[in-house]
Amino acid sequence: MLGRRSSHKNTGKPARQLLFSEAILQAKGVPPLTATQPSATHQEMANRAQESTMDRILQEISAVGRRLEGMDSAMVSLAAETKSIRTEIASFQTRVLGLEQRVSKVEAHASSFQDRDQELLFLRSKLTDFEDRSRRDNVRIIGFPENIEADDLQRFLRDTLPRLTGPTFEPPLEFQRAHRLGHRRTGTDARPRPIIACLLRHTQARQLIQKARTQGPCQLDGHTI
């Protein structure tokens, strides 16, 4: 009784209530409390708490695994997109390389065109100089009637011009070309077309022009030349 009282005192319950509870338990055939029962109960509670903790940990691990699976699928999709982007970049690089080659060819052609432009300008300047030089050998003659030259205008001028200007030319006059300007006029009062004669020698052309300036107009069968 003393031991039970001390144990009851430790639990904090009234002694009579504990004695009454123990009597009821003994009447029902329940063995009295021993020192090992509380430790077994605590062990079961600890085991249950540990099992509950393990279940939560397993659940969290399962959730983390599902998240990792989702991340794996996302990584696979990202890898596929990255591969596609790399393929497009390689295609763009090939196109850019082709464009650079075409631009290089165009620049080379442009450089050759610039050289050709300079050459063309040089040729044009030479042509202009040649035209100016050839025009300096031209003589414009006004007043010869139409058809007076017959079929050979150069021979007519070679024979007629020395008689009109006076002295004989040495060497004789020579022409590169000679022709009348414009279309032939019709009608009795139509003026004859002027004649353009290009002499072979520039000195003779200057001599003819000088005589025309000093002597003035000449007369040939009533026509003023």
Side-chain angles (χ1 to χ4, degrees):
M1 293 298 291
L2 291 174
R4 288 185 178 179
R5 287 180 180 176
S6 60
S7 63
H8 294 331
K9 186 177 181 180
N10 293 333
T11 58
K13 294 182 179 181
R16 293 180 180 180
Q17 185 178 359
L18 291 175
L19 292 174
F20 181 75
S21 299
E22 289 179 0
I24 293 174
L25 292 174
Q26 290 178 2
K28 291 182 178 180
V30 177
L33 294 175
T34 61
T36 59
Q37 286 182 350
S39 61
T41 303
H42 289 305
Q43 185 66 32
E44 290 178 358
M45 293 176 63
N47 291 336
R48 290 177 182 177
Q50 186 176 2
E51 291 177 357
S52 178
T53 303
M54 291 298 296
D55 291 339
R56 288 196 302 270
I57 292 173
L58 290 175
Q59 290 177 359
E60 292 179 359
I61 292 174
S62 178
V64 172
R66 288 192 296 270
R67 292 179 182 177
L68 290 176
E69 290 178 356
M71 292 177 65
D72 289 339
S73 61
M75 290 296 293
V76 171
S77 176
L78 181 61
E81 292 180 358
T82 303
K83 184 177 180 180
S84 176
I85 292 173
R86 288 180 178 177
T87 304
E88 292 180 358
I89 291 175
S91 177
F92 288 150
Q93 288 177 348
T94 303
R95 293 181 182 177
V96 169
L97 181 60
L99 291 175
E100 288 179 352
Q101 293 177 353
R102 294 178 63 182
V103 168
S104 299
K105 292 181 180 179
V106 170
E107 289 178 349
H109 286 301
S111 178
S112 63
F113 287 153
Q114 291 178 356
D115 296 338
R116 292 179 183 178
D117 290 341
Q118 293 179 357
E119 183 179 0
L120 181 59
L121 291 175
F122 176 72
L123 293 176
R124 284 180 177 176
S125 63
K126 290 186 66 175
L127 179 60
T128 303
D129 182 64
F130 289 152
E131 288 178 350
D132 293 340
R133 290 177 181 272
S134 63
R135 288 173 182 173
R136 286 184 296 178
D137 298 335
N138 290 343
V139 177
R140 188 167 182 262
I141 307 170
I142 301 173
F144 283 123
E146 295 283 347
N147 297 327
I148 193 173
E149 68 274 13
D151 296 332
D152 193 346
L153 181 57
Q154 292 187 20
R155 185 180 62 182
F156 169 76
L157 294 175
R158 185 172 56 248
D159 298 338
T160 306
L161 289 178
R163 291 191 291 113
L164 293 177
T165 57
T168 304
F169 290 90
E170 290 294 340
L173 294 176
E174 294 185 73
F175 299 89
Q176 296 182 12
R177 56 187 178 274
H179 62 277
R180 287 186 181 269
L181 293 177
H183 298 286
R184 185 173 182 178
R185 300 182 179 93
T186 59
T188 56
D189 57 346
R191 293 180 300 173
R193 293 173 295 169
I195 297 173
I196 296 294
C198 180
L199 280 84
L200 182 62
R201 298 175 180 85
H202 176 65
T203 56
Q204 292 181 344
R206 290 174 59 88
Q207 189 176 358
L208 278 174
I209 294 174
Q210 186 66 27
K211 288 181 176 296
R213 289 175 179 173
T214 57
Q215 295 180 3
C218 304
Q219 295 293 325
L220 178 65
D221 299 335
H223 300 283
T224 302
I225 309 302

